[in-house]
Amino acid sequence: MSDENTTPSTGIARRDALKVMAAAAVVPMLPDTAAAAPAPAVSREPLPLLDEQQRPIKRKGPRGTPSDPVLQVAKADWPMKLSLRELTTLSALCDMIIPADAKSPAASTVGAPGYINEWASRPGGDASLVRVRGGLAWLDRESQTRFGTRFHLATNAQRTQICDDICYLPKAKPEHQFAAQFFDTIRDQTATAFYTTPAGWKDLGYIGNVAMPTFEGPNLAIRRRLGLA
């Protein structure tokens, strides 16, 4: 992060690198048909929905299944565990990873910290929560040691100095290995959160399921690259 807009290993724009990661994440993994075992039968019966007196509630709309909940009565499945202090530090880090620019907003603006909080707080995610909490504590302590202030209150240049030491795991010093692993985790989760929002789709140029009155085929540049023009 010595240059705020480039990665240390390749020199390509950081946002472009994150776009590549996001695009790769949506490529489906094809199963090995030769080795695939038949999927077990799954009951399609919906789970009973009860009120506080354990009486059946009449469903409205889609009935849902054990793997497809009834969205009309959706509720949080688990409590969020990161504190306000931790979320403040996390927001500052998310915005160092994907800052606002002329095309799109910063990662915190579209809810990346909340997404990471939900991911780290999930049942069975104790190791993730320990890494996130430990990394956030490290950021604040490191910023306090170097600059006499918490990470989110440091200047952009000061935060960049800290991130430079942990943003590329293979080159991180031994004393920064844990922090670099933490940074890798937050970078991946921030990119996932950002590029699955409408703002992220727009930044990628993803159109999505939009009706097209006509389709003229690939543009001239694409056709030339394919040898078709």
Side-chain angles (χ1 to χ4, degrees), residues 215-229:
F215 179 63
E216 306 300 334
N219 62 39
L220 181 59
I222 297 298
R223 296 201 303 274
R224 283 175 175 169
R225 189 165 184 173
L226 296 175
L228 301 176

Side-chain angles (χ1 to χ4, degrees), residues 46-222:
L47 294 176
L49 187 63
L50 307 176
D51 62 16
E52 294 180 355
Q53 285 75 42
Q54 300 299 301
R55 296 173 302 187
I57 295 177
K58 186 176 181 180
R59 295 176 182 270
K60 296 180 181 179
R63 295 190 56 175
T65 69
S67 61
D68 183 16
V70 183
L71 298 182
Q72 288 88 344
V73 292
K75 62 181 180 180
D77 291 324
W78 52 82
M80 302 299 101
K81 297 180 179 179
L82 296 183
S83 68
L84 178 59
R85 179 187 178 95
E86 291 168 329
L87 287 170
T88 300
T89 303
L90 178 59
S91 295
L93 180 57
C94 288
D95 289 350
M96 291 298 294
I97 295 170
I98 302 183
D101 63 12
K103 288 182 60 180
S104 58
S108 67
T109 306
V110 298
Y115 170 87
I116 295 171
N117 189 13
E118 183 173 358
W119 170 79
S121 302
R122 71 194 187 280
D126 293 346
S128 301
L129 185 62
V130 168
R131 174 172 292 184
V132 170
R133 279 189 155 158
L136 294 173
W138 183 91
L139 278 180
D140 275 341
R141 184 175 63 251
E142 190 71 10
S143 182
Q144 191 72 44
T145 299
R146 295 191 193 189
F147 311 117
T149 188
R150 286 183 57 199
F151 183 78
H152 78 284
L153 296 174
T155 66
N156 189 69
Q158 290 170 337
R159 292 195 298 266
T160 298
Q161 286 183 38
I162 296 175
C163 291
D164 278 345
D165 289 337
I166 63 175
C167 68
Y168 189 51
L169 181 58
K171 291 188 177 181
K173 296 178 180 178
E175 62 268 29
H176 293 153
Q177 287 293 307
F178 168 79
Q181 292 172 0
F182 156 76
F183 188 93
D184 271 2
T185 296
I186 299 303
R187 178 174 51 211
D188 290 349
Q189 295 301 324
T190 298
T192 299
F194 183 84
Y195 289 112
T196 51
T197 66
W201 302 339
K202 183 178 180 181
D203 195 38
L204 285 170
Y206 172 69
I207 298 174
N209 189 21
V210 178
M212 301 174 64
T214 61
F215 179 63
E216 306 300 334
N219 62 39
L220 181 59
I222 297 298

